[in-house]
Amino acid sequence: MAETNRPTASKPKGLILRLLGPGLVTGAADDDPSGIATYSQAGAQFGYGLLWTVFLTTPFMIAIQLVSGQIGRVTGKGLAANVMELAPRWLVLALVFLLVAANTFNIAADIAAMGESLSLVIGGLNHEHALIFASTSTLLQVFVPYRRYAPVLKFLTLTLFAYVATALTVSIPWSAALLAAVWPKATINADYLLMVVAVLGTTISPYLFFWQASQEVEEMHQGKIDRPLRELTRGGVMEIDRIKLDTTVGMIFSNVIAFFIILTTAAVLNAHGITNINSATQAAEALRPLAGDFTFLLFALGIIGTGMLAIPVLAGSAAYGVSEAFGWPATLEAKAPDAVGFYTIIAAATVIGFGLGFTGIDSIHMLVWSAVLNGIVAVPIMAMMMVIVANPKLMGRFKASRRLIVLGWIGTALMALAVVALFWSFFTG
């Protein structure tokens, strides 16, 4: 049925929840414990000298996530299913396999950070706490249908405000910080450029593309317009507007939190000569003697909250990609017996990620491997996304605007440069 037949004034509260959904959750999930570690290192190592990267990445992050969200809602299919229409099957399977591997390493680092954070707060053993988090996340995804689980994920986005509160508990020279953000004065060297690459790679990640496209499909099946927008002869503009608002808010929210993490670690750690942070929990520990127990507690609890949001996004995006590539049912709304392959990937990625914590591989190495694999996947996927969203045959009358296409391609080129720099660092370092 056409969009014009929708009720216009039903339930305001439901409308608010509807407007902020996949985009908000996707943006918040980008600030996972691994991302917190990267932003903490940026602040500790270079002070306020990298605050500008938050402003640089925001428009491109919004653009590429808008592309993924619109692809999902307009076509009614996830990203992997759409890419299958353009690329050979073997290439799609290879990219999805790399995505799963990257996400699994990222899950491993996040679960380990969550376990360590809880141990710092209440004591106990890291692995036992990690097991609780891994089990809880898996059980929620498998046994709670999407319509009930989505509000839980939205609620977890509130935990990110812990990092705003953390910044307010420490002394920050705001004039110096804001000046550095808009007019950076940094010594350009290999370490500085590599950190810029790390921040860019953390901010724009392939798992976010797959997740948001598939979440728009999930939302479609829960909404009043339960068909792909390209099948509608009229209407649909309100849905595109919702995606724009949701995604813009989500990505700005994500980068505001990144800004405050860099700001806090620069004001406390860098100012006291602590310039090397290898994990989010190490950043929390370093803050404790310098900024006090309350600041430490906020930072540590934030790691746990963001991890509970990020793990299902990481595992879920892997499951969506694999399931779409093989033609399996792919929805969090399905019961476990009706989507065995989908839920098996979710469980396997989480269990293997948890198991990697017993191998002795430190989180830094897992994050490095994750970054390399993400780099391999990101650029071709972004390029294919841009081809899809500009294709009137696939997108119909909802083909992306010229402005979005330009921003998306610039973001793709920027990511390609980051990947080249990343590999250059490995071969020359």
Side-chain angles (χ1 to χ4, degrees):
M1 77 190 275
E3 186 180 31
T4 52
N5 294 331
R6 292 176 65 183
T8 55
S10 52
K11 297 180 180 179
K13 291 183 180 178
L15 178 61
I16 293 171
L17 288 174
R18 170 79 172 146
L19 289 176
L20 296 179
L24 176 65
V25 172
T26 302
D30 192 36
D31 293 321
D32 68 328
S34 301
I36 293 169
T38 301
Y39 300 135
S40 297
Q41 176 60 25
Q45 188 173 1
F46 296 104
Y48 308 112
L50 284 173
L51 284 174
W52 63 270
T53 58
V54 174
F55 300 105
L56 171 69
T57 58
T58 298
F60 304 117
M61 189 180 181
I62 292 172
I64 203 66
Q65 291 303 140
L66 269 177
V67 167
S68 65
Q70 290 187 19
I71 287 173
R73 187 63 185 89
V74 171
T75 66
K77 297 187 293 186
L79 197 53
N82 275 286
V83 172
M84 291 278 282
E85 297 188 21
L86 295 178
R89 181 180 175 84
W90 65 267
L91 177 59
V92 177
L93 291 175
L95 291 173
V96 167
F97 172 79
L98 292 172
L99 173 77
V100 173
N103 286 10
T104 302
F105 284 124
N106 211 328
I107 289 170
D110 286 354
I111 290 176
M114 294 163 68
E116 292 169 6
S117 295
L118 188 57
S119 295
L120 289 175
V121 174
I122 66 171
L125 301 175
N126 295 343
H127 291 311
E128 280 72 5
H129 293 155
L131 176 61
I132 293 171
F133 293 129
S135 302
T136 301
S137 177
T138 303
L139 292 173
L140 284 173
Q141 290 178 89
V142 174
F143 293 107
V144 178
Y146 176 80
R147 64 183 180 276
R148 295 178 182 171
Y149 191 40
V152 174
L153 295 177
K154 292 178 191 177
F155 176 78
L156 285 171
T157 63
L158 296 175
T159 61
L160 284 152
F161 283 107
Y163 293 104
V164 179
T166 299
L168 298 178
T169 65
V170 301
S171 177
I172 295 173
W174 286 100
S175 57
L178 294 176
L179 180 62
V182 298
W183 194 262
K185 295 179 181 179
T187 302
I188 305 300
N189 54 37
D191 289 338
Y192 185 83
L193 292 175
L194 285 178
M195 186 51 65
V196 171
V197 170
V199 171
L200 183 62
T202 298
T203 306
I204 303 176
S205 299
Y207 73 89
L208 302 176
F209 315 153
F210 284 84
W211 174 261
Q212 187 166 354
S214 295
Q215 291 308 283
E216 287 297 341
V217 179
E218 297 274 17
E219 289 287 318
M220 179 185 75
H221 294 305
Q222 301 299 316
K224 294 185 181 298
I225 303 177
D226 58 357
R227 288 185 294 159
L229 293 184
R230 68 181 178 186
E231 295 182 5
L232 302 179
T233 57
R234 59 177 179 167
V237 175
M238 287 180 64
E239 281 294 286
I240 297 297
D241 289 342
R242 175 195 59 79
I243 293 171
K244 288 179 181 177
L245 174 64
D246 180 26
T247 302
T248 301
V249 170
M251 300 311 125
I252 290 175
F253 177 55
S254 173
N255 280 8
V256 165
I257 300 304
F259 180 90
F260 277 103
I261 294 170
I262 296 174
L263 189 68
T264 302
T265 51
V268 179
L269 304 185
N270 180 269
H272 288 84
I274 299 174
T275 58
N276 188 28
I277 296 296
N278 292 324
S279 69
T281 47
Q282 188 178 345
E285 279 188 291
L287 285 170
R288 185 178 228 164
L290 299 173
D293 288 338
F294 184 60
T295 301
F296 153 77
L297 182 64
L298 285 173
F299 204 94
L301 292 178
I303 293 169
I304 296 170
T306 59
M308 286 302 296
L309 176 62
I311 290 173
V313 173
L314 287 159
S317 61
Y320 283 120
V322 172
S323 299
E324 290 162 14
F326 284 101
W328 302 340
T331 172
L332 287 168
E333 189 66 26
K335 294 181 178 179
D338 299 325
V340 174
F342 177 73
Y343 287 118
T344 297
I345 298 298
I346 287 176
T350 309
V351 169
I352 293 172
F354 169 72
L356 286 172
F358 291 88
T359 62
I361 303 173
D362 62 66
S363 59
I364 291 299
H365 282 92
M366 288 189 283
L367 290 179
V368 167
W369 292 337
S370 178
V372 171
L373 294 173
N374 275 329
I376 295 172
V377 174
V379 177
I381 289 293
M382 290 172 73
M384 290 179 203
M385 286 168 59
M386 296 313 304
V387 172
I388 292 169
V389 83
N391 189 329
K393 182 180 178 182
L394 296 175
M395 299 293 289
R397 58 194 174 90
F398 295 100
K399 185 185 79 167
S401 66
R402 181 175 296 179
R403 179 175 176 273
L404 181 58
I405 291 171
V406 169
L407 273 176
W409 277 115
I410 293 174
T412 303
L414 194 62
M415 194 66 192
L417 287 174
V419 171
V420 170
L422 180 67
F423 282 102
W424 173 80
S425 70
F426 288 136
F427 288 120
T428 59

